Amino acid sequence: MNVTLDGCMAGPDYELDWHFRYWDEEMSDHASLQLSNADTILMGRVTYNAMSKYWPYVINEPSYPRADIPFAEMMNNHRKIVFSGTLKSVSWNNTRLAKLNDRKKIMKLKKRAGKNIIIYGSGRVVSALMRWGLIDEYLLWIHPVVLSNGQQLFKALENDMSLELDTVKKFNSGVVLVCYHAGKNQDTSQW
């Protein structure tokens, strides 16, 4: 998750322009490495609508950056689950719709064999999975910017949450990637 110093994952109207100011090739390479360790991508409707208009077309459109091709191949080939109550269908390769209110299906998905599950986007999906204690690892790309008004990553939490620091990586752009694991005292009673 890309976040600002003050914990915003997007601007007040879900703007991400601040995020693209700092994104560079070094960060892109690291994001590709993270995605290569996953085989499933979770997202909500807004993220799906944005990503499905870009990634399926990167490979065949010469005006798009050629450096995006390896990432695009993974994005197009990984299993994608879109949580939405309003979408009626999805057309992006390897994508299916699901309802976010079914924790048992999410737990079943989490327990299946395979690589990691990665969440892209912001909003209801991340908030619900955090509240339910279903996120094992938080990879926070902290950008050196303060929005002071925006969509807060941890706003939806009802209780305190303890995290354990794993790694920290500083990029030349000034962005810092911090990896936290969910604490051992994480409340799983709602599972």
Side-chain angles (χ1 to χ4, degrees):
M1 181 69 62
N2 290 285
V3 296
T4 62
L5 284 173
D6 56 340
C8 293
M9 56 187 167
D13 295 318
Y14 294 93
E15 308 92 335
L16 296 174
D17 55 329
W18 55 270
H19 157 304
F20 295 110
R21 279 186 247 158
Y22 297 96
W23 200 262
D24 62 14
E25 188 175 334
E26 179 188 24
M27 293 169 61
S28 182
D29 289 345
H30 198 78
S32 290
L33 178 63
Q34 286 178 342
L35 187 56
S36 72
N37 290 319
D39 62 8
T40 304
I41 302 167
L42 307 182
M43 63 185 84
R45 174 188 53 82
V46 173
T47 302
Y48 169 79
N49 284 336
M51 290 189 166
S52 67
K53 291 176 184 165
Y54 181 77
W55 294 114
Y57 307 101
V58 168
I59 295 169
N60 296 321
E61 176 54 55
S63 66
Y64 290 149
R66 299 295 81 198
D68 283 354
I69 290 177
F71 197 83
E73 288 175 342
M74 286 187 283
M75 289 296 293
N76 293 325
N77 292 320
H78 279 29
R79 176 182 332 151
K80 292 170 285 297
I81 301 171
V82 179
F83 295 99
S84 175
T86 57
L87 284 177
K88 301 297 181 211
S89 64
V90 290
S91 58
W92 191 4
N93 188 35
N94 296 325
T95 303
R96 69 179 174 95
L97 279 170
K99 300 287 185 200
L100 188 56
N101 60 357
D102 193 341
R103 286 182 241 165
K104 289 181 182 179
K105 282 186 181 177
I106 297 169
M107 284 299 300
K108 185 177 177 182
L109 174 68
K110 190 173 173 181
K111 290 179 180 181
R112 62 129 180 90
K115 292 182 171 184
N116 294 333
I117 300 169
I118 196 165
I119 307 168
Y120 283 146
S122 56
R124 291 182 42 227
V125 175
V126 173
S127 296
L129 296 178
M130 278 195 298
R131 280 194 315 273
W132 297 336
L134 296 178
I135 299 176
D136 298 323
E137 184 176 72
Y138 291 82
L139 295 166
L140 304 177
W141 299 74
I142 303 170
H143 292 248
V145 66
V146 175
L147 293 181
S148 74
N149 183 19
Q151 306 299 324
Q152 294 287 323
L153 175 60
F154 296 105
K155 184 178 180 179
L157 288 178
E158 297 164 356
N159 299 309
D160 292 348
M161 179 173 63
S162 295
L163 300 174
E164 298 170 4
L165 181 63
D166 184 23
T167 58
V168 177
K169 178 172 177 51
K170 180 184 178 290
F171 293 93
N172 292 327
S173 64
V175 172
V176 177
L177 174 60
V178 181
C179 176
Y180 288 103
H181 290 279
K184 290 178 178 54
N185 62 348
Q186 184 173 343
D187 178 15
T188 59
S189 62
Q190 295 183 15
W191 289 14

